Amino acid sequence: MRTLVSLAALALAPGMALAEAHATATPVEYGPRPAYLIDKLPDGDLKDKLASCMGQDASKSDFSIGHRGAPLMFPEHTVQSNVAAARMGAGILECDVTFTADHELVCRHAQNDLHTTTNILVSDLAEKCTTGFTAASGNTPANAECRTSDITLAEFRTLTPKMDSADKTATTAEDYQGGVANWRTELYSDKADLMTHAESIELFKSLGAKFTPELKSPSVEMPHDGFSQEDYAQKLVDEYVAAGIPASDVWPQSFNLDDVLYWVENTPEFGKQAVYLVEWSDGFDEQNPETWKEDFADLKAKGVNYLAPSLNMLMTNKDGAIAGSDYAMAAKEAGLTLIAWTLERSGPLASGGGWYFQSISDVVKDDSDYLVALDVLAQDVGVVGVFSDWPATVTYYANCMGL
């Protein structure tokens, strides 16, 4: 297996050095987790089919999408997290895109997450945060808010990434750095490297992966110092054009329908694969059209081809078993291509699976239901891709099922 080659340097020096470091095909390995989940499945056709593939050659699949890389164990949106995802066979990788004070695009899940995903609160940049650290007191949890828009790109580069976490009981900024979920790990956080959006493009290209950048909602009022929402959406596309990436390899995403329609109307080649993200909200009933915010026919008429709902919107409890929801079937019947997010982000499923599995929590029993849900999404709902915090599971399934 190829080892990581001076990743700290590569993160700051994209282009030839980065491409040369991963010039050969990225080897794909499943690791122990897919087999572990298969072993937990109850006896039946799904277990038999997946077990029959134990000896298969591992290969990359576009059905497998790295969600922020592989953040179940690696700090999200880092070089290392995405290299790990590629080595698990994720054929498509994600950079969540936001911007700095000088309007440079960087990979962060939110514009205002630096206080939980980096060491900014214990660095010299802490004083630049929108809201500095406030210690926990009585029933009031510890708090802070640090945005990429609080600092320049040069300052962003000085930060050290960490697992996304915060100790809400902390009385010091140092203690606030903790709070990592007990089903994640800090074993792979040492010397991880942040990325700009342009650097992510070079890295993903060198790994042989395709691209699904998400334009994140700004925490600042737009336009920001003359930088409009349209400028923001256009700059994302421009960086793929500058890197010579064909539009057919890019699936730009946004929760903001106006962003998706901007790409459809102004960058039509990229707009063909623009993804409209939607998520469960209060009052949503996956079986009741009166609660759906989306008008599927109208979306298609406006040129939207891809819809990416959260997992809980796509599945339901049907006679005590996980099944595709009426919402999912209606969207598919309207001609929308579906993508699901996010598998293996809930930790152990013994307690029902939390937010992502809330529509089926009463039938979720243990971690093997990750595979049951994945099978329903692929075979019944017909999604074309699944985001995961640990892409090996989705890759294994896709390879076994010939997706």
Side-chain angles (χ1 to χ4, degrees):
M1 177 181 291
R2 180 176 291 273
T3 57
L4 297 182
V5 182
S6 187
L7 287 174
L10 298 180
L12 300 179
M16 290 305 297
L18 194 56
E20 289 172 3
H22 298 285
T24 59
T26 303
V28 176
E29 296 183 353
Y30 296 132
R33 185 160 176 80
Y36 166 79
L37 295 176
I38 293 166
D39 289 344
K40 294 177 75 68
L41 279 169
D43 291 341
D45 292 344
L46 180 60
K47 184 171 186 172
D48 291 345
K49 173 60 178 175
L50 293 177
S52 74
C53 298
M54 287 289 188
Q56 70 180 352
D57 291 333
S59 60
K60 179 179 63 177
S61 172
D62 288 354
F63 188 79
S64 179
I65 307 172
H67 179 245
R68 317 184 201 181
L72 189 64
M73 298 179 73
F74 292 81
E76 63 186 48
H77 289 309
T78 58
V79 172
Q80 291 77 5
S81 186
N82 283 284
V83 169
R87 286 175 172 166
M88 293 183 215
I92 301 174
L93 298 174
E94 177 187 47
C95 169
D96 287 331
V97 179
T98 187
F99 58 86
T100 58
D102 44 352
H103 302 146
E104 296 298 330
L105 303 186
V106 296
C107 299
R108 288 290 88 197
H109 179 64
Q111 189 167 55
N112 62 341
D113 74 0
L114 293 182
H115 51 289
T116 64
T117 63
T118 75
N119 70 332
I120 191 170
L121 288 175
V122 292
S123 77
D124 293 339
L125 295 173
E127 63 184 18
K128 293 197 169 188
C129 289
T130 295
T131 304
F133 173 74
T134 302
S137 178
N139 294 324
T140 303
N143 186 48
E145 183 184 3
C146 304
R147 303 173 177 176
T148 57
S149 54
D150 291 334
I151 58 177
T152 65
L153 175 59
E155 291 168 330
F156 174 82
R157 289 191 184 281
T158 69
L159 297 175
T160 299
K162 69 180 190 70
M163 293 298 284
D164 185 11
S165 65
D167 183 348
K168 296 292 188 176
T169 69
T171 57
T172 67
E174 288 73 16
D175 287 344
Y176 190 77
Q177 306 301 294
V180 176
N182 61 12
W183 40 270
R184 290 187 172 139
T185 181
E186 295 181 273
L187 285 175
Y188 304 101
S189 297
D190 185 46
K191 297 181 180 179
D193 301 290
L194 299 171
M195 296 185 295
T196 67
H197 177 234
E199 288 166 355
S200 79
I201 295 172
E202 292 301 322
L203 177 66
F204 299 174
K205 179 181 178 180
S206 73
L207 293 169
K210 297 175 184 177
F211 314 82
T212 186
E214 180 188 339
L215 197 73
K216 303 304 295 189
S217 298
S219 297
V220 295
E221 185 176 349
M222 299 293 278
H224 178 260
D225 294 339
F227 188 61
S228 69
Q229 186 70 26
E230 293 76 16
D231 294 335
Y232 183 27
Q234 185 64 50
K235 186 165 186 174
L236 179 147
V237 168
D238 287 346
E239 294 196 343
Y240 288 95
V241 174
I245 304 299
S248 58
D249 285 350
V250 185
W251 287 262
Q253 316 167 69
S254 181
F255 280 97
N256 182 351
L257 181 57
D258 287 341
D259 293 337
V260 175
L261 296 179
Y262 176 86
W263 292 320
V264 168
E265 294 165 7
N266 296 278
T267 61
E269 290 305 306
F270 288 87
K272 289 177 183 177
Q273 295 187 163
V275 181
Y276 181 34
L277 294 158
V278 293
E279 63 183 333
W280 184 289
S281 58
D282 290 342
F284 174 81
D285 179 346
E286 71 276 9
Q287 307 296 350
N288 184 1
E290 292 183 3
T291 71
W292 305 345
K293 294 182 180 179
E294 289 73 49
D295 180 334
F296 302 134
D298 183 60
L299 288 176
K300 280 295 294 182
K302 289 177 176 175
V304 178
N305 294 315
Y306 286 82
L307 183 71
S310 51
L311 290 183
N312 40 30
M313 301 176 75
L314 297 175
M315 300 182 293
T316 193
N317 174 0
K318 185 176 182 180
D319 300 325
I322 302 172
S325 68
D326 288 351
Y327 174 93
M329 300 309 171
K332 186 168 67 170
E333 288 171 7
L336 292 167
T337 301
L338 298 176
I339 298 170
W341 55 277
T342 299
L343 200 72
E344 296 192 85
R345 191 159 180 81
S346 298
L349 297 185
S351 60
W355 188 85
Y356 285 91
F357 288 82
Q358 62 185 287
S359 60
I360 54 171
S361 60
D362 48 351
V363 293
V364 169
K365 57 189 181 306
D366 61 38
D367 285 3
S368 69
D369 284 313
Y370 276 126
L371 292 173
V372 177
L374 183 56
D375 191 54
V376 168
L377 292 168
Q379 306 302 330
D380 298 347
V381 176
V383 302
V384 298
V386 178
F387 282 88
S388 180
D389 278 18
W390 200 245
T393 302
V394 179
T395 305
Y396 182 101
Y397 178 90
N399 287 175
C400 186
M401 297 297 184
L403 300 179

